[in-house]
Structures are given as structure tokens and as C-alpha cells.
Amino acid sequence: MSAMKKLYTSVLPHIHAFFGRTYLPYFPSKISIESGNLCNLRCPLCPTGQQDKSAKKGFLSFTVFKKVIDETGQNLTMIRLYNWGEPLLNKNFLRMVRYAKERGIDLKISTNLSLKIEDTTIEALLKSGLEKIYISCNGASRTTYQKYHIGGDFELVMDNMKRVVQKKREIPGCRTRLVWLFHVFKHNEHEIETAKKLAQKIGITIKVSKMRPDMGKEIFETTLKALERDREWIPDNPEYTVVSEKRQKRVGCTLPWTETVINWDGSVLPCCAVYSEKYAFGNILENSFAEIWNNEMYVAARKEILGIKNDRETICHICKRSGYLHGG
């Protein structure tokens, strides 16, 4: 896709949101497709890690992935092929990446990399054409790592990270960007500089990211409630958390205009913070994406955000009452 078209598809949604349009004549240029909501770790602030049973469990099939791409791919510039699970557990993962890349679509993934991975798999992963691989590792030592990544193996992650970096160097022209994602919590805040030095030694870019409170509950509650419940995880430096007692309320949200999320079972949701298919706006196995993108649920959500009276309540109404995601 040309640079001009990418610019056009990224600006267009904001123009329609600005003018208060709720029926949209375009598809989003960026989407999240959940590779599956199963994981090998038990991270305490993630609903998958908590083994939350409010969502059906499973892996994205190639059939569902292909249907999504075939229906939305014309305007797609980016796919996040992950959400509530570990993408490398999906046996069809590389096939999906290749299918999207053949159609000129960039892809990102986020992996915990606490898996036994063969050299051939690492090579295939880097040759698949992925634009970016985030490696989630919230610790620079074994003890700190295991505080959050329950069930994970710090030494294995470090070894895999080194192997991926080395293999990238060996592949001519490999453009996949590797990023160590280090989310700051109270228990690992003291290791930020250690992690940066370790990343430099390994030869990988590190991104120090803000923590999120319980990710399965954050759109259903106010910032104050999240702060009260998850106080033990919140870093002392407010710079490293998305929520704050001093943070001003958000005045709106543009996600129902700019993006969409499709779960492994075909459920279509307005954003990646919504965990269960219970709040889906439709299912791509039952209706086309074109029908869902402008159906009663999506239009009602956009109207609610714009303050236009409507009688249909959606998950976006609940999020707005809470002050919007990471808002008030």
C-alpha cells in the first residue's frame, strides 16, 4: 500500500468522528485479530491468566482468519495478531502471517517467549515478514520476573531472546523489529536501569511501558476503584501507570471509528479491552464484516460517544459511564 493511501486511511476515520458521522463508508485500516485466548502463563492482572471463564476458550482457525482478511483486507495496513493469549501456541500462526503478507498487510505480535522453540521455528518466524515482535518480560531477574509471569521461565526467555536476536543477524535483509516490552510494576520498578543494560548487552530495543490495572475489569470501573484494588502492583512513580488519581477524565473515544477487534471465534468487538464475546457487536461467521461495521450496535456505540440520544446500550455505554478506558 502506498504511503499516500496509508495516510488517507488513517486520517479518514478521524474526519468522520469529528463531523459526528455514525454510519461509515470505509473499513478500519488497523485491526486486532485474536490468535487465541489460551496462554502458558498465569499473569495475575490478565483475565486469561486468572482463568476467567466468562469467555469461551480456543484458537483462531485459518478459515476464520482468511474470511476476515478477504472481507477487510483491501484497506488494511496493520494487523495485531494477538490479544488475550500467547500467539505462538496457535499451530496455524505462520500460515496466517504469510497469507496476510502476500496481500501487503503488516503484522505485529506480542509473545511471552517462555516456550521451548526450535531454531527452525525462530528462522521461520523471522522470515515470515512480521513487522514487529514484542517480547513481554517484566523483570530483569528470575525472582522479579516470576512475581508476575507466574509459570514462566526467566532463563528460557533470556535464552530465546538472544537466539532470536542472533538469528535475525544471520538472515540477510530481515526487517522484523524486535522489542523487549518491560511493563513497570511496583515490584520491578527498581530494575528499569538493569533491564536497559541487559537489553543493550543482548542487542535488543527495550520499551519501558506503563502498567495497566486488572485488564479484564478496567472498562467496568473508575480509576479510583482500580487504584484501590491493585495498589500492591502500582509503581511508586506515577509516570509508569496508565491510571492516576490526578489524571483528568477523557472526553471521548475514537476507536469505534478507527479500529476493530475480532476474537478467535469470530466475535467482533469495539476494542481490545473487552474480554468476553458477551459484549460482541456481531460475529463474522454469521454476518459479513460490512454488515456488522454499520449495524445497530456499532451505530449505537458511536452515538453514545458523541452524546446523541439512542435506545440501544452497548459495552461502550458502560465504558463511558466509568470515565472511559484509563480515564476518570
Side-chain angles (χ1 to χ4, degrees):
M1 183 177 289
S2 68
M4 183 61 68
K5 190 168 184 179
K6 283 186 177 182
L7 178 63
Y8 175 76
T9 56
S10 64
V11 171
L12 186 63
H14 296 284
I15 294 174
H16 280 263
F18 178 79
F19 285 105
R21 292 168 183 160
T22 58
Y23 187 93
L24 308 179
Y26 61 85
F27 284 173
S29 61
K30 297 178 181 179
I31 66 174
S32 294
I33 306 178
E34 183 180 66
S35 54
N37 60 357
L38 295 164
C39 188
N40 53 316
L41 304 185
R42 293 291 174 261
C43 302
L45 296 182
C46 171
T48 300
Q50 296 165 3
Q51 297 183 289
D52 187 321
K53 293 182 172 56
S54 64
K56 292 183 294 185
K57 304 295 183 183
F59 290 114
L60 176 71
S61 70
F62 181 76
T63 300
V64 174
F65 181 81
K66 182 177 182 298
K67 179 174 172 58
V68 173
I69 301 306
D70 291 349
E71 291 190 19
T72 66
Q74 185 175 359
N75 293 316
L76 277 182
T77 61
M78 174 60 68
I79 294 173
R80 302 179 190 92
L81 193 50
Y82 62 95
N83 197 15
W84 296 114
E86 169 52 55
L88 298 187
L89 293 177
N90 190 318
K91 295 179 180 180
N92 289 309
F93 174 76
L94 288 172
R95 185 183 179 192
M96 295 174 190
V97 174
R98 286 193 292 268
Y99 190 80
K101 287 302 298 180
E102 288 169 359
R103 284 145 187 81
I105 306 167
D106 287 333
L107 298 98
K108 298 179 182 180
I109 68 163
S110 179
T111 170
N112 60 57
L113 216 59
S114 186
L115 303 156
K116 292 183 178 179
I117 307 175
E118 299 293 333
D119 288 342
T120 52
T121 301
I122 291 176
E123 183 173 0
L125 194 64
L126 292 169
K127 287 184 175 180
S128 67
L130 282 168
E131 192 269 336
K132 185 180 291 184
I133 299 175
Y134 287 114
I135 300 168
S136 181
C137 177
N138 305 326
S141 66
R142 184 180 192 181
T143 301
T144 304
Y145 171 85
Q146 291 181 332
K147 170 77 173 177
Y148 188 78
H149 294 293
I150 298 171
D153 184 329
F154 178 71
E155 283 76 20
L156 178 61
V157 175
M158 288 294 106
D159 182 58
N160 283 340
M161 199 183 295
K162 292 172 185 175
R163 291 169 63 211
V164 173
V165 169
Q166 180 58 39
K167 181 57 67 175
K168 179 186 174 181
R169 291 171 179 159
E170 296 171 2
I171 300 174
C174 180
R175 295 183 178 181
T176 301
R177 289 189 285 168
L178 306 174
V179 181
W180 175 356
L181 204 56
F182 185 97
H183 288 95
V184 181
F185 297 88
K186 184 185 288 289
H187 71 279
N188 69 2
E189 194 170 5
H190 66 287
E191 287 191 341
I192 294 174
E193 292 306 314
T194 303
K196 288 180 179 178
K197 291 177 182 178
L198 184 55
Q200 185 177 30
K201 183 178 180 181
I202 294 171
I204 190 170
T205 300
I206 187 169
K207 181 178 180 181
V208 178
S209 296
K210 298 178 180 182
M211 71 146 293
R212 288 166 61 182
D214 193 309
M215 293 178 282
K217 300 181 177 69
E218 56 191 349
I219 58 176
F220 297 96
E221 61 191 15
T222 63
T223 292
L224 183 59
K225 186 173 181 180
L227 287 168
E228 290 173 348
R229 186 195 56 249
D230 297 331
R231 183 69 64 183
E232 67 172 298
W233 295 102
I234 296 172
D236 294 328
N237 187 341
E239 177 186 344
Y240 295 120
T241 177
V242 296
V243 295
S244 170
E245 292 171 344
K246 297 180 181 179
R247 189 178 178 87
Q248 293 183 348
K249 288 188 176 182
R250 286 179 57 183
V251 295
C253 173
T254 59
L255 291 178
W257 283 265
T258 61
E259 301 187 18
T260 198
V261 176
I262 301 177
N263 279 3
W264 70 271
D265 66 343
S267 300
V268 179
L269 297 159
C271 81
C272 63
V274 186
Y275 177 64
S276 174
E277 68 276 358
K278 172 183 177 182
Y279 303 101
F281 286 4
N283 191 297
I284 199 166
L285 298 180
E286 299 170 4
N287 298 98
S288 69
F289 183 77
E291 292 171 321
I292 297 169
W293 183 236
N294 283 303
N295 68 9
E296 184 182 1
M297 297 286 281
Y298 250 118
V299 170
R302 293 174 187 133
K303 284 183 177 180
E304 178 64 25
I305 293 169
L306 293 170
I308 300 172
K309 185 178 180 181
N310 67 96
D311 299 323
R312 185 67 181 266
E313 183 164 305
T314 70
I315 188 63
C316 295
H317 294 60
I318 297 171
C319 185
K320 183 179 180 180
R321 284 198 294 269
S322 298
Y324 290 112
L325 182 64
H326 308 149

